[in-house]
Amino acid sequence: MANITKKVSWSSRADESGAAGEGTPLLNGSEQPRHSRQPSEGGSLCQIGRLSTVDLEEEITSDEESQRGRPKEIPHNEKLLSLKYESLDYDNIENQLFLEEERKMSYMGFRCLEISRWVVCGLIGFLTGLIACFIDIVVEQLAGIKYQVVKENIEKFTEVGGLSISLLLWAVLNSAIVMLGAIIVAFFEPIAAGSGIPQIKCYLNGIKIPRVVRLKTLVVKVGGVICSVVGGLAVGKEGPMIHSGAVVAAGVSQGRSTSLKRDFKIFEYFRRDTEKRDFVSAGAAAGVSAAFGAPVGGVLFSLEEGASFWNQMLTWRIFFASMISTFTLNFFLSIYHNKPGELSNPGLINFGRFQGDSVAYNLYEIPLFIAMGAIGGLLGALFNVLNYWLTIFRIRYVHRPCLQVMEAMLVAAVTATVSFTMIYFSNDCQPLGPEHTEEYPLQLFCADGEYNSMATAFFNTPERSVRSLFHNQPGTYNPLTLGLFTLTYFFLACWTYGLAVSAGVFIPSLLIGAAWGRLCGIMLATITPDGSIWADPGKYALIGAAAQLGGIVRMTLSLTVIMVEATGNVTYGLPIMLVLMTAKIVGDYFVEGLYDIHIKLQSVPFLHWEAPATSHWLTAREVMSSPVTCLNRIEKVGTIVDTLSNTSTNHNGFPVVVKVSGSDEPPKLCGLILRSQLIVLLKHKVFSIHVSQDERECMMDLTEFMNATPYTVPQETSLPRVFKLFRALGLRHLVVVDDENRVVGLVTRKDLARYHLGKHGLEELQLAQT
């Protein structure tokens, strides 16, 4: 029995097995197996579950192979939930093998495992910081070369004429760079598109997204975001860092790479969804910390977007990974900037220090901040609605990779054209003093000793533009410049988000909000007595940035801490919190957050924190799937094969029942077994199983492999209670029984997600998919 104890996938170690989602048949008897697998010598299918000679330590199939059993196009069933996704096995399957293995481990063994968890979290933080450092340096170097070339070209043709050549050069450079980033995303790894935050939110929510934490995804994500930012798109590199950190965590914690097909034979105990999801949480937090220099904000992000089953040691490990990530990035960037050892500027984006009189605010400004939060909520709702319809258009008409690359190139060219046009027609000239902070001051048609202020906003990376709006002296921008910039950049950012490129929405949102926030500060200083004393433009730029970002992404607690840590001053903690709460309340009145919209459009069975408000009249009987396919505790191999091959068998978990001998009573529940466990026990690939007629009559004893203590609820249990069980315990299956412990139904994530959508949500999804 010792060998079986080692080799059987008793918990969620079948994570990489490529098992399809609920509603997707894993076995197809009519399809020839891609790899034939013969029983090992001395093994017999008639004795599976009893002999220790069964070799179950076979090569695990990849996600690409598992897709063979699924339709090429992602179908949507009548309830509009994609068959592509399945749940994570967060809750350990406590069968006999699992318990035997745990009982064999000594106290020192558990201590070593705990030390290993800390080591893994340290590695996650270190590698995430290195990746962030690499992205930042490459972007700064390449963007600097591009802007310097374009700047020299513009200055050359300003006096002699022919600025159209400069425009053409700018547009071609942008399009070429973006084309490279779009090609590697659209053709090689589409899951790397966007910021990756919606996918990581789903993973932390308990949903397995195919290929989301692969090494190939990380490589494409890093290369893609560099091209997107250098190509001048209205994007940022901070959001993708969260996805990158999650991929690093998934790879390091498993001690192997499915992309490289290498197994380093380390951290094998962590190859289960329980452990892997915790490490991915640490990776996401490390990504936030590297992006904004906000370790506490990273921890709260993982907590806010994940589930509620946390413990103190896990929180400390996540915080440790975040701190290591920030320190690593800060240390290597200090060397790059020829200031080794200076660790005062953490994060990819540095908002700069708000010091002196600019940090002060008065009680009478609180209503103004709340009003700005409401404006941010309205603008965020408008942004999300426009992006929603644009995404539907892309789903219908721009679904081929070549069209996606062409659209990205078009957006890059239009962005360059709009930027050049606004700089060309702007007459906002500012004196170029010795204390100027502009990286590439462009004179254009301004007088000697002056520079074009509009060029400061456009002719720079978004991060530097945000910092200049926060900290440039009053009078640096005139109201017309800020108004036109806000309007144009708003629509450019809306058009850009959702392209087949790796890009984030954090920095564009901050830049839009900082622009109209600074505009509000200028107007207040103009229309009120002594306004120039208290209405500092930089202060209102910060409030506007928080309002706009909160109105788009609808994050509250974690975003408050991120903004406070990024500014390096807790003075604005209360105003930022009020602004973000107001923006969320106002925005939620009209439409969901941007990430939630994209999750819904992908038909993901995402579970929110709470059950629908009007669901108390529903019970488990109304939401459960019925009838349920059950297996006997000792079952025929042929019956198991037929059950797994049957396309009407919709779930990845099967209740195990036992009938009292000599009794006419219906069988009663005695356990639960997963589809992946049955497949491993049958010792074949997941696509096809062929057994002889004699083998079909053999008996399989499921006693040792089933979870003998599955979670169950009576059929009269209310839906809110069922919902809380799923979210609090990270469940995948919940068996519904009657008063005599007989199985009457099975509740899964998709059953709950259907009811959470509600009638209005279903109508929207139907419209999106037609």
Side-chain angles (χ1 to χ4, degrees):
M1 184 58 65
N3 291 337
I4 286 186
T5 305
K6 283 186 176 181
K7 299 177 180 178
V8 170
S9 177
W10 39 257
S11 68
S12 301
R13 294 186 183 182
D15 172 60
E16 299 293 337
S17 63
E22 286 143 2
T24 306
L26 283 178
L27 301 173
N28 187 343
S30 62
E31 183 180 356
Q32 294 297 322
R34 184 174 178 181
H35 302 280
S36 62
R37 291 191 176 185
Q38 302 298 331
S40 58
E41 287 187 35
S44 171
L45 284 176
C46 296
Q47 297 170 312
I48 287 182
R50 293 196 179 276
L51 291 183
S52 61
T53 55
V54 180
D55 183 13
L56 298 178
E57 200 174 47
E58 299 179 355
E59 182 67 24
I60 297 176
T61 59
S62 64
D63 285 344
E64 301 97 310
E65 293 170 328
S66 67
Q67 297 292 338
R68 286 170 56 93
R70 300 176 183 154
K72 292 183 179 179
E73 296 295 331
I74 301 173
H76 290 74
N77 59 19
E78 70 280 2
K79 300 278 179 77
L80 294 171
L81 289 174
S82 176
L83 305 180
K84 181 181 179 181
Y85 306 108
E86 64 169 306
S87 302
L88 294 171
D89 288 309
Y90 190 83
D91 185 57
N92 281 326
I93 307 300
E94 288 196 354
N95 52 28
Q96 291 185 18
L97 298 177
F98 171 80
L99 294 176
E100 287 179 18
E101 179 131 341
E102 293 293 297
R103 289 164 183 164
K104 287 180 180 179
M105 192 172 296
S106 64
Y107 174 79
M108 185 58 65
F110 281 108
R111 295 296 299 172
C112 291
L113 280 177
E114 186 63 22
I115 294 173
S116 297
R117 291 189 180 98
W118 284 91
V119 171
V120 170
C121 286
L123 288 174
I124 291 170
F126 179 73
L127 294 177
T128 303
L130 283 182
I131 291 173
C133 182
F134 172 78
I135 292 175
D136 190 61
I137 293 175
V138 174
V139 167
E140 182 175 335
Q141 291 295 323
L142 295 181
I145 295 172
K146 186 195 77 170
Y147 284 127
Q148 190 63 39
V149 170
V150 176
K151 177 178 180 293
E152 292 176 356
N153 191 272
I154 291 176
E155 291 175 344
K156 173 183 177 182
F157 289 103
T158 298
E159 296 182 0
V160 300
L163 280 174
S164 57
I165 298 177
S166 301
L167 169 60
L168 185 62
L169 174 64
W170 197 355
V172 169
L173 284 175
N174 279 10
S175 299
I177 297 171
V178 170
M179 179 185 69
L180 177 61
I183 287 176
I184 61 176
V185 170
F187 286 94
F188 294 98
E189 198 57 88
I191 194 67
S195 65
I197 295 179
Q199 291 87 344
I200 298 305
K201 282 187 63 172
C202 291
Y203 193 93
L204 297 181
N205 190 259
I207 305 165
K208 186 181 297 182
I209 307 295
R211 306 186 61 82
V212 73
V213 289
R214 288 293 190 86
L215 176 61
K216 183 179 177 182
T217 304
L218 174 63
V219 174
V220 174
K221 174 72 74 173
V222 171
V225 73
I226 290 173
C227 293
S228 300
V229 177
V230 176
L233 294 177
V235 298
K237 56 182 181 288
E238 283 68 25
M241 276 308 307
I242 300 174
H243 189 181
S244 300
V247 179
V248 169
V252 171
S253 65
Q254 302 303 287
R256 64 181 176 185
S257 171
T258 52
S259 298
L260 299 177
K261 301 188 183 325
R262 292 289 304 275
D263 190 341
F264 300 99
K265 302 297 182 181
I266 57 175
F267 306 135
E268 292 180 293
Y269 184 87
F270 301 146
R271 294 177 185 178
R272 60 179 89 173
D273 288 346
T274 312
E275 301 284 351
K276 186 175 181 180
R277 183 192 171 280
D278 290 346
F279 287 120
V280 169
S281 299
V288 174
S289 181
F292 298 98
V296 179
V299 175
L300 293 177
F301 174 85
S302 295
L303 179 61
E304 187 175 4
E305 303 302 340
S308 57
F309 31 98
W310 286 73
N311 59 65
Q312 184 180 13
M313 291 307 298
L314 173 60
T315 305
W316 272 108
R317 290 197 300 269
I318 292 175
F319 184 61
F320 176 68
S322 300
M323 292 297 299
I324 293 296
S325 176
T326 299
F327 175 81
T328 302
L329 173 65
N330 207 356
F331 176 76
F332 285 101
L333 284 184
S334 69
I335 297 176
Y336 170 71
H337 293 299
N338 294 321
K339 298 178 181 179
E342 183 178 314
L343 308 177
S344 58
N345 295 310
L348 291 180
I349 180 172
N350 178 18
F351 290 159
R353 302 288 176 178
F354 285 81
Q355 298 176 347
D357 296 336
S358 63
V359 300
Y361 65 93
N362 299 287
L363 182 63
Y364 55 80
E365 291 184 86
I366 297 294
L368 297 176
F369 296 154
I370 295 176
M372 292 180 67
I375 295 173
L378 291 172
L379 291 177
L382 176 61
F383 185 98
N384 293 351
V385 169
L386 293 176
N387 191 263
Y388 169 77
W389 288 108
L390 184 59
T391 303
I392 291 178
F393 176 83
R394 286 178 173 137
I395 292 174
R396 293 179 181 174
Y397 304 110
V398 194
H399 51 273
R400 294 182 179 179
C402 56
L403 294 177
Q404 294 171 344
V405 173
M406 292 174 63
E407 184 193 16
M409 294 175 63
L410 175 64
V411 174
V414 170
T415 301
T417 303
V418 170
S419 304
F420 185 88
T421 302
M422 294 191 66
I423 293 173
Y424 182 83
F425 288 103
S426 173
N427 58 359
D428 185 6
C429 297
Q430 300 294 333
L432 188 62
E435 73 283 353
H436 76 87
T437 59
E438 287 69 28
E439 189 75 15
Y440 307 102
L442 188 64
Q443 181 178 354
L444 204 62
F445 298 116
C446 295
D448 292 340
E450 295 182 340
Y451 69 97
N452 189 297
S453 182
M454 181 69 80
T456 305
F458 275 115
F459 206 72
N460 218 328
T461 59
E463 290 83 358
R464 293 185 181 275
S465 298
V466 170
R467 193 157 56 248
S468 67
L469 287 169
F470 283 171
H471 295 289
N472 276 15
Q473 296 295 321
T476 305
Y477 300 91
N478 66 39
L480 181 61
T481 298
L482 293 173
L484 290 175
F485 176 81
T486 301
L487 183 65
T488 55
Y489 208 82
F490 180 91
F491 289 104
L492 286 175
C494 184
W495 189 12
T496 303
Y497 189 81
L499 292 175
V501 295
S502 299
V505 75
F506 272 74
I507 297 304
S509 302
L510 290 172
L511 184 53
I512 295 168
W516 66 258
R518 190 176 180 95
L519 177 61
C520 290
I522 294 174
M523 295 176 62
L524 287 171
T526 303
I527 64 177
T528 58
D530 298 327
S532 58
I533 299 176
W534 57 268
D536 182 76
K539 173 173 61 179
Y540 282 86
L542 174 64
I543 299 300
Q548 185 66 52
L549 182 57
I552 292 177
V553 302
R554 310 291 164 77
M555 294 162 58
T556 52
L557 179 61
S558 60
L559 190 55
T560 300
V561 177
I562 288 172
M563 295 293 292
V564 169
E565 287 186 280
T567 56
N569 196 311
V570 76
T571 305
Y572 289 129
L574 177 62
I576 290 175
M577 182 183 69
L578 293 175
V579 164
L580 291 176
M581 289 177 59
T582 305
K584 177 176 173 56
I585 293 171
V586 173
D588 284 344
Y589 183 80
F590 297 98
V591 68
E592 293 178 298
L594 184 64
Y595 299 143
D596 294 324
I597 288 175
H598 281 263
I599 289 172
K600 181 185 290 186
L601 288 173
Q602 292 297 318
S603 303
V604 178
F606 188 88
L607 297 185
H608 295 271
W609 282 105
E610 300 292 340
T614 57
S615 63
H616 284 80
W617 62 276
L618 292 172
T619 64
R621 180 189 301 165
E622 277 76 36
V623 300
M624 70 184 185
S625 297
S626 181
V628 180
T629 301
C630 298
L631 298 174
N632 292 315
R633 186 172 60 85
I634 299 179
E635 188 63 88
K636 286 185 178 181
V637 171
T639 302
I640 295 176
V641 172
D642 293 340
T643 299
L644 298 180
S645 303
N646 189 356
T647 58
S648 63
T649 304
N650 295 322
H651 298 301
N652 284 329
F654 301 94
V656 180
V657 297
V658 61
K659 185 174 183 179
V660 180
S661 58
S663 174
D664 294 333
E665 294 183 2
K668 296 184 179 181
L669 177 71
C670 66
L672 181 78
I673 193 164
L674 298 179
R675 179 188 291 267
S676 57
Q677 292 174 306
L678 292 172
I679 292 170
V680 172
L681 290 176
L682 290 172
K683 299 175 59 206
H684 279 268
K685 287 282 188 178
V686 298
F687 312 112
S688 179
I689 289 181
H690 297 280
V691 294
S692 66
Q693 190 61 38
D694 292 337
E695 289 170 334
R696 292 178 62 87
E697 300 302 319
C698 295
M699 305 301 292
M700 180 182 290
D701 190 350
L702 304 179
T703 304
E704 294 176 296
F705 311 104
M706 70 182 185
N707 181 5
T709 57
Y711 289 98
T712 63
V713 293
Q715 57 185 340
E716 299 302 328
T717 305
S718 68
L719 177 58
R721 185 170 181 82
V722 172
F723 197 94
K724 289 177 182 178
L725 285 173
F726 260 81
R727 288 296 275 127
L729 300 175
L731 299 184
R732 186 177 183 185
H733 304 95
L734 186 62
V735 183
V736 183
V737 297
D738 60 12
D739 295 337
E740 299 183 5
N741 203 37
R742 293 175 299 194
V743 179
V744 295
L746 192 70
V747 180
T748 67
R749 169 181 293 272
K750 289 188 177 180
D751 295 323
L752 297 180
R754 292 180 186 121
Y755 280 89
H756 190 85
L757 286 174
K759 182 179 178 182
H760 181 64
L762 291 176
E763 290 176 350
E764 287 184 348
L765 283 178
Q766 287 172 341
L767 178 63
Q769 303 301 334
T770 56

